[in-house]
């Protein structure tokens, strides 16, 4: 979880020269940039100056969050969950990292933190392009202190994408740099942000042109829409340039969320709608799933009202709900969820059994399984769910257990959920994709050994990449002729069905997370 974050540093191309063994504080104040006598005075100031009422709280928290995500390995979706934690917890991170506190965060500050952190991560490549252009020195950018870079990114995002008043953005980010680093850093932020303001007023912000050969166009598009070049080239290959642009635009929007009413507690969608009306949270009913509603804004109000803590509902995308529909859990069945944690689909499947049947939730991560166990109690399905901590590949060798239905929601690239997982695009490489394909094959082989004759195996991902989806199924069927495709037409709307009878949600077309599921039946 986010609050158990290790303060170690992960080396990446953006943090070259930073030792992975250094604590985060030493990265924020590297000794090479501050004279020894100054370091002593600054340390004394940071120990005694605990409260600074002049620094903008949402910018201080945003800068620290961005540091934790990029250098500390924290997940943006955990840190950015609206309403998660409290202002005190957020400010405690600021104090431990920067050495001072600001005023307490109010509800508006927390909303701004969510918007600024999520947007800054999404637009990181584009923002860095602008920063490099205005620095006029690539070496200055590549050697820039991580905290200074985050402050600049925040300022650029607020000016270019949020259209905040320029004078306030410049003034407050300069103040943050001076207090958190040193006066010289504030002067640098002042000079660069003022250049940006002038260019924006003249409508002459340096934007790359999409021209030249395919490689040049891919690089320009990757910068304009802030995605890795390898993703742009891969999507252009499979989707074409226009569809790739639409996909990147979708990924860069503020995400919407869905809520699933927990029928296992007797809480219906009608009950959920009444609660949302009382909270004045706008919503839309799901067209295809009777327990789901979509919410674009107001998730913080739902969380603060305690609806999630009470187990009345869960945050779950409709695309994930339809994967459960493909499995079609029925009362009395035995089901194995092969890679269960964090357990959203496990809980939904268990609720569909109406107290009759069993879901065995297998996962290699013991800590995440404990979270699933607590959630099962909260959702009142703990008598249905049994957790098993094991590597699926080893479990199959030692267990004779066969089940009616098996779900393998496989580890994947997550290329279908980039609108919600803003940081994921920067944490995946083409090499990762190749490794994942091998793992998916191994897990599919293992999962097939748990299916009864005549039983069902569902292979699913939250990826939109055909090599992780259709191609993995095709390769599996060649290795396992006892299995065949069971068309999903009975389980999901026709608009979500591929030519080969698989389930597929397209982010651009369906306005949902991208997901895939194949329903495979084992011969008797």
């Amino acid at each position: 979880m986010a609050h158990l974050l290790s303060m170690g540093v992960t080396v990446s191309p953006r943090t070259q020269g930073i030792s992975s063994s250094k604590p985060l504080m030493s990265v924020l104040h590297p000794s090479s940039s501050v004279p020894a006598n100054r370091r002593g005075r600054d340390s004394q100031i940071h120990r005694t100056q605990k409260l600074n009422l002049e620094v903008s709280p949402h910018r201080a928290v945003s800068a620290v969050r961005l540091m934790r995500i990029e250098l500390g390995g924290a997940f943006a979706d955990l840190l950015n969950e609206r309403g998660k934690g409290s202002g005190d917890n957020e400010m405690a991170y600021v104090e431990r990292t920067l050495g001072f506190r600001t005023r307490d965060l109010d509800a508006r500050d927390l909303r701004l933190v969510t918007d600024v952190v999520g947007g800054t991560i999404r637009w990181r490549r584009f923002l860095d392009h602008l920063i490099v252009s205005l620095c006029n020195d690539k070496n200055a950018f590549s050697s820039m202190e991580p905290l200074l870079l985050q402050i600049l990114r925040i300022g650029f995002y607020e000016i270019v994408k949020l259209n905040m008043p320029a004078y306030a953005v410049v003034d407050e980010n300069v103040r943050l740099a001076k207090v958190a680093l040193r006066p010289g850093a504030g002067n640098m932020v002042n000079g660069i942000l003022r250049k940006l303001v002038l260019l924006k007023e003249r409508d002459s912000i340096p934007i790359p042109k999409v021209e030249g050969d395919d490689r040049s166009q891919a690089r320009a598009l990757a910068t304009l829409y802030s995605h890795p070049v390898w993703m742009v080239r891969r999507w252009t290959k499979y989707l074409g340039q226009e569809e790739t642009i639409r996909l990147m635009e979708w990924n860069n929007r503020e995400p919407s969320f869905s809520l699933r009413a927990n029928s296992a507690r007797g809480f219906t969608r009608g009950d959920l709608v009444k609660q949302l009306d009382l909270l004045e949270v706008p919503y839309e009913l799901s067209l295809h799933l009777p327990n789901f509603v979509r919410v674009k804004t107001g998730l913080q109000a739902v969380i603060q009202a305690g609806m999630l803590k009470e187990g009345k509902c869960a945050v779950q995308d409709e695309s994930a709900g339809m994967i459960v529909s493909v499995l079609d859990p029925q009362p009395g069945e035995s089901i194995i969820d092969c890679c269960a944690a964090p357990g959203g689909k496990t809980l939904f499947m268990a609720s569909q059994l109406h107290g009759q049947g069993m879901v065995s939730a297998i996962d290699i991560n013991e800590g995440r399984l404990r979270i699933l166990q607590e959630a099962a109690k909260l959702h009142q399905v703990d008598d249905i769910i049994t957790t098993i901590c094991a590597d699926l590949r080893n479990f199959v060798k030692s267990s004779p257990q066969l089940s009616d239905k098996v779900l393998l929601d496989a580890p994947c690239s997550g290329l279908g959920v980039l609108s919600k997982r803003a940081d994921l695009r920067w944490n995946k490489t083409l090499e990762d994709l190749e490794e994942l394909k091998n793992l998916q094959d191994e897990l599919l082989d293992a999962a097939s050994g748990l299916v009864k004759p005549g039983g069902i195996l569902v292979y699913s991902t939250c990826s939109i990449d055909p090599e992780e989806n259709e191609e993995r199924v095709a390769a599996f069927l060649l290795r396992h002729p006892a299995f065949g495709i069971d068309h999903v037409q009975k389980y999901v709307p026709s608009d979500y069905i591929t030519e080969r009878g698989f389930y597929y949600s397209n982010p651009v077309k369906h306005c949902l997370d991208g997901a895939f599921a194949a329903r495979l039946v084992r011969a008797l």
Side-chain angles (χ1 to χ4, degrees):
M1 297 295 287
H3 297 301
L4 299 180
L5 167 68
S6 166
M7 299 306 282
V9 176
T10 302
V11 176
S12 69
R14 260 295 322 133
T15 57
Q16 57 184 335
I18 299 175
S19 167
S20 61
S21 62
K22 287 184 180 180
L24 190 55
M25 278 297 293
S26 69
V27 177
L28 295 179
H29 300 283
S31 59
S32 59
S33 60
V34 184
N37 60 339
R38 274 285 305 283
R39 290 202 305 274
R41 290 202 305 273
D42 288 350
S43 296
Q44 181 70 21
I45 290 171
H46 285 157
R47 282 196 299 271
T48 58
Q49 185 184 3
K50 292 296 184 182
L51 181 64
N52 189 309
L53 298 179
E54 296 182 351
V55 171
S56 165
H58 91 258
R59 292 181 176 91
V61 169
S62 295
V64 171
R65 277 193 177 191
L66 289 166
M67 292 288 291
R68 292 166 60 202
I69 293 164
E70 186 167 351
L71 302 180
F75 296 106
D77 61 335
L78 291 177
L79 293 174
N80 258 333
E81 184 180 329
R82 295 178 187 270
K84 187 175 183 65
S86 67
D88 286 342
N89 288 337
E90 296 290 352
M91 202 51 64
Y93 276 116
V94 171
E95 184 173 10
R96 287 199 296 272
T97 306
L98 304 184
F100 63 88
R101 299 174 70 92
T102 71
R103 67 167 173 80
D104 293 338
L105 289 89
D106 57 25
R108 178 179 177 275
D109 293 322
L110 286 170
R111 288 194 297 271
L112 279 171
V113 168
T114 299
D115 292 343
V116 168
V117 172
T120 301
I121 294 171
R122 287 187 187 90
W123 290 101
R124 192 177 85 184
R125 185 183 180 93
F126 178 68
L127 299 175
D128 286 355
H129 161 77
L130 296 181
I131 294 170
V132 170
S133 300
L134 272 62
C135 280
N136 297 320
D137 183 355
K138 288 188 177 181
N139 291 329
F141 175 81
S142 62
S143 60
M144 192 175 291
E145 293 160 278
L147 177 59
L148 179 57
L149 176 59
Q150 301 301 350
I151 293 171
L152 282 172
R153 285 171 174 166
I154 290 169
F156 272 62
Y157 177 71
E158 291 178 331
I159 291 171
V160 175
K161 294 297 182 180
L162 293 185
N163 294 310
M164 287 185 174
Y167 69 90
V169 173
V170 174
D171 181 60
E172 295 194 16
N173 280 288
V174 166
R175 188 178 296 123
L176 174 60
K178 285 183 176 180
V179 175
L181 289 167
R182 58 194 173 279
N187 294 337
M188 183 178 183
V189 170
N190 182 60
I192 294 174
L193 288 183
R194 287 187 180 279
K195 280 186 186 179
L196 175 66
V197 172
L198 186 60
L199 290 173
K200 186 183 180 187
E201 289 174 349
R202 295 175 177 175
D203 197 22
S204 56
I205 290 176
I207 296 176
K209 295 181 180 179
V210 182
E211 58 186 12
D213 59 17
D214 290 345
R215 288 177 179 271
S216 299
Q217 290 188 39
R219 284 195 295 270
L221 288 170
T223 299
L224 278 171
Y225 296 97
S226 197
H227 281 69
V229 176
W230 75 266
M231 285 187 191
V232 176
R233 298 195 66 193
R234 192 172 185 85
W235 291 339
T236 301
K237 171 186 173 184
Y238 286 120
L239 305 174
Q241 190 175 102
E242 289 186 10
E243 189 68 15
T244 297
I245 291 173
R246 283 194 284 268
L247 177 58
M248 291 190 290
E249 288 174 338
W250 165 264
N251 291 340
N252 286 333
R253 292 176 192 163
E254 185 71 19
S256 61
F257 295 88
S258 293
L259 296 172
R260 174 179 62 82
N262 180 20
S263 59
R265 289 184 64 105
F267 193 74
T268 67
R269 183 165 72 174
D271 296 327
L272 177 57
V273 164
K274 289 179 183 177
Q275 292 288 321
L276 295 176
D277 285 336
L278 288 173
L279 295 171
E280 299 184 346
V281 172
Y283 60 86
E284 295 177 3
L285 299 181
S286 168
L287 298 177
H288 310 301
L289 294 167
N291 293 332
F292 285 69
V293 299
R294 296 186 189 185
V295 292
K296 180 68 177 179
T297 60
L299 186 58
Q300 181 181 354
V302 173
I303 295 171
Q304 291 177 342
M307 294 170 64
L308 301 182
K309 288 183 179 180
E310 295 170 8
K312 293 180 178 178
C313 62
V315 178
Q316 188 167 40
D317 197 78
E318 290 172 75
S319 63
M322 279 194 270
I323 288 173
V324 174
S325 296
V326 170
L327 186 77
D328 188 33
Q330 294 296 320
E333 290 180 335
S334 61
I335 299 172
I336 297 178
D337 191 350
C338 293
C339 298
K345 297 181 185 68
T346 313
L347 297 171
F348 189 18
M349 289 188 292
S351 72
Q352 299 295 93
L353 297 182
H354 303 297
Q356 303 174 49
M358 179 61 66
V359 179
S360 299
I362 302 172
D363 202 273
I364 198 170
N365 189 312
E366 186 175 3
R368 285 161 61 109
L369 276 180
R370 283 197 296 270
I371 295 170
L372 173 54
Q373 289 171 339
E374 291 302 313
K377 293 177 184 177
L378 190 66
H379 283 246
Q380 296 184 355
V381 290
D382 50 310
D383 57 334
I384 298 292
I385 297 174
T386 300
T387 58
I388 303 168
C389 185
D391 184 317
L392 177 67
R393 294 164 293 187
N394 297 330
F395 175 79
V396 172
K397 297 174 184 177
S398 60
S399 174
Q401 181 178 359
L402 296 179
S403 289
D404 299 308
K405 292 174 179 174
V406 174
L407 172 64
L408 174 60
D409 190 41
C412 68
S413 64
L415 295 181
V417 296
L418 296 184
S419 68
K420 290 187 175 69
R421 283 293 308 276
D423 58 320
L424 199 58
R425 69 185 74 178
W426 310 120
N427 296 336
K428 295 294 182 183
T429 66
L430 194 56
E431 292 73 23
D432 293 334
L433 199 61
E434 293 301 317
E435 292 180 9
L436 283 166
K437 284 159 52 179
N438 293 331
L439 177 60
Q440 289 154 2
D441 286 342
E442 292 176 6
L443 293 175
L444 253 175
D445 290 342
S448 68
L450 299 174
V451 184
K452 288 180 179 179
I456 296 297
L457 169 62
V458 170
Y459 170 75
S460 66
T461 73
C462 56
S463 174
I464 57 174
D465 195 286
E467 291 189 21
E468 294 186 273
N469 296 336
E470 292 90 345
E471 292 188 22
R472 299 280 55 75
V473 174
F476 169 79
L477 293 175
L478 288 175
R479 297 192 305 272
H480 298 270
F483 282 83
I485 298 171
D486 191 20
H487 202 289
V488 300
Q489 60 186 356
K490 297 178 183 178
Y491 310 104
V492 294
S494 59
D495 196 39
Y496 293 85
I497 301 175
T498 70
E499 291 182 1
R500 296 203 64 193
F502 304 138
Y503 159 72
Y504 176 69
S505 59
N506 182 309
V508 175
K509 179 180 179 182
H510 300 119
C511 297
L512 301 178
D513 288 346
F516 169 88
R519 185 179 163 99
L520 309 171
V521 59
R522 182 177 180 178
L524 291 170

